[in-house]
Amino acid sequence: MGNSEQLAVGVIGTGGMGSMHAENLHARVANARLAAVSDVDIARAGEIAERYGSVAVFGEAVELIRDEEIEAVVISSPDQTHAPLVLECLKNRKPVLCEKPLADSADAALEILEAEVELGRKLVQVGFMRHYDPQHVAVKEEVASGAVGTPVVFKGWHRNADQNPGITSEWVVINATIHDIDSARWFIGEEIEEVYVRGMNTAPKLGEDVWDVQLIQFSTTGGRMGSIETNVVSGYGYEVGVEIVGESGVVRTAPPSGAVVRRERAASQRIEDGWLERFHTAYVIEVQNWVESLRNGGPTGPDAWDGYASLVVADACIASLRSGSPQKVARLEMPLLYGEGLEVAK
Ligand SMILES: NC(=O)c1ccc[n+]([C@@H]2O[C@H](COP(=O)([O-])OP(=O)(O)OC[C@H]3O[C@@H](n4cnc5c(N)ncnc54)[C@H](O)[C@@H]3O)[C@@H](O)[C@H]2O)c1
């Protein structure tokens, strides 16, 4: 580790997510420091560097990765940049926390998997931050304790307040639903085997062929079932939650914990505006745990297998939304490097 005993972390991409990670590394995460930033918009990277002081600026992300001072990398540039930058991190033996999705296709994720297996050492973590969200963790702990018996049905919902034109139905799957696919695998403890996607357009501004509301039904390798509702133009706010139906009970994420305001003959609670607000705590815990794990030998969070396995499910979802019929998930066998795979739910 570097001279200051603090892990020197470089952040690639200084937009919404990258500037948030940079601020957390600077101000909220112990035993780490924001050492460098990179953005193709060099002025934006420069502003972040100036704000936090003693931060190097790189116009080229690969230069940040190759810099000897940089001990670990956070990738928060757009989806299509993830795979080449993660491969560069592997080439340079740098631990990397890559925002979701791990790549923009399952094939590209497979290249990462193969490179990491070849290296024989896990260096990649994927930014599935719900694993660190206290509301999700509380549900996971209840399920794992056996409180509701074997989980048999997963229900997930993921609603964004609004969306700018320019997106596609496929983007909704790869960029938004990917989180819920990962959640389903994590909570049920089994891989998804078959998916069936239906959708509709409720927001003409996106283009009539864009399904802004999508409903996925799935079954798992052990015959359990689930549904995911993704709605990228909910119109009312940002909301993410899960419900796990077990053999003897149900566990659900807690509703918002903000104050209840009673006025004009109505009671109301604020609903968050977006992910930066809703998952503020999760992002800090995610990076703090990642830093600690690197100090103790290697990453312990969602890994390249999770990134790959969720992308093959996303591919099947895309095939289903195009064909209108259920699709099997074509997945490789898990390489030994990734251990036992998903923790089997009781
Ligand atoms: N985990 C989550 O909850 C979550 C939430 C939102 C976005 N994301 C993911 O985070 C990533 C970034 O999303 P965002 O909302 O911050 O996007 P953004 O558009 O706000 O920021 C992306 C930044 O990357 C820069 N950039 C583009 N190409 C680059 C390159 N080759 N090298 C360096 N910088 C480059 C852009 O100039 C921009 O500043 C995406 O992959 C997205 O899917 C994750």
Side-chain angles (χ1 to χ4, degrees):
M1 213 168 293
N3 49 16
S4 62
E5 284 300 308
Q6 289 186 315
L7 189 76
V9 182
V11 175
I12 297 173
T14 52
M17 291 299 287
S19 56
M20 177 272 299
H21 285 310
E23 183 182 342
N24 286 344
L25 281 160
H26 173 77
R28 301 190 178 91
V29 173
N31 300 321
R33 67 187 171 90
L34 177 66
V37 286
S38 164
D39 200 300
V40 287
D41 182 342
I42 192 100
R44 185 178 291 170
E47 268 171 44
I48 299 281
E50 202 171 311
R51 192 177 308 160
Y52 302 126
S54 305
V55 177
V57 180
F58 295 88
E60 287 291 333
V62 289
E63 285 173 19
L64 178 151
I65 295 169
R66 290 173 191 160
D67 191 282
E68 282 182 6
E69 291 284 305
I70 302 302
E71 295 169 292
V73 177
V74 174
I75 298 176
S76 33
S77 42
D79 300 358
Q80 72 279 8
T81 65
H82 293 183
L85 294 176
V86 169
L87 287 169
E88 187 65 29
C89 288
L90 290 175
K91 223 187 272 173
N92 288 273
R93 312 278 191 275
K94 299 265 168 100
V96 54
L97 171 60
C98 178
E99 268 308 335
K100 50 51 63 172
L102 175 59
D104 60 0
S105 71
D107 284 349
L110 183 56
E111 257 187 78
I112 292 172
L113 211 59
E114 286 170 349
E116 202 177 40
V117 167
E118 168 109 23
L119 197 63
R121 197 177 138 209
K122 286 194 344 179
L123 287 178
V124 178
Q125 181 164 324
V126 182
F128 288 131
M129 77 299 180
R130 293 183 191 174
H131 294 237
Y132 304 95
D133 170 52
Q135 288 188 13
H136 282 74
V137 169
V139 172
K140 177 73 177 165
E141 284 172 356
E142 288 296 341
V143 172
S145 76
V148 296
T150 302
V152 289
V153 176
F154 170 95
K155 293 183 187 173
W157 53 94
H158 181 170
R159 303 180 188 130
N160 290 75
D162 201 3
Q163 201 65 52
N164 290 325
I167 65 159
T168 61
S169 304
E170 289 82 356
W171 180 92
V172 172
V173 175
I174 293 228
N175 194 276
T177 309
I178 196 84
H179 272 300
D180 310 278
I181 293 170
D182 170 70
S183 274
R185 298 175 59 252
W186 184 48
F187 280 108
I188 291 281
E190 292 180 354
E191 295 294 356
I192 293 175
E193 194 170 58
E194 189 179 78
V195 297
Y196 179 33
V197 185
R198 305 184 82 177
M200 61 192 289
N201 177 275
T202 70
K205 69 171 181 182
L206 297 179
E208 277 170 18
D209 57 336
V210 176
W211 287 357
D212 54 298
V213 179
Q214 299 184 7
L215 197 59
I216 300 178
Q217 286 179 356
F218 67 82
S219 56
T220 66
T221 45
R224 301 170 195 193
M225 299 175 293
S227 67
I228 296 168
E229 175 212 321
T230 309
N231 178 348
V232 296
V233 190
S234 76
Y236 73 88
Y238 180 78
E239 199 179 17
V240 167
V242 296
E243 182 177 86
I244 310 300
V245 181
E247 282 174 328
S248 56
V250 169
V251 193
R252 191 180 298 160
T253 38
S257 57
V260 179
V261 178
R262 291 172 185 274
R263 60 192 286 270
E264 295 178 359
R265 294 166 193 78
S268 66
Q269 264 181 310
R270 182 180 154 70
I271 292 174
E272 282 108 346
D273 177 54
W275 51 90
L276 291 175
E277 189 183 357
R278 164 67 180 83
F279 289 109
H280 170 81
T281 305
Y283 295 128
V284 177
I285 300 174
E286 173 188 45
V287 175
Q288 184 66 70
N289 278 27
W290 176 64
V291 166
E292 291 312 320
S293 72
L294 298 186
R295 292 166 63 89
N296 292 317
T300 52
D303 59 20
W305 175 258
D306 296 308
Y308 163 76
S310 44
L311 278 164
V312 285
V313 176
D315 267 7
C317 290
I318 288 170
S320 177
L321 70 81
R322 286 180 181 156
S323 67
S325 52
Q327 296 287 325
K328 293 273 183 217
V329 177
R331 188 179 26 253
L332 295 180
E333 210 150 287
M334 190 177 64
L336 281 177
L337 179 65
Y338 302 100
E340 301 292 314
L342 292 168
E343 178 193 317
V344 177
K346 290 189 181 123

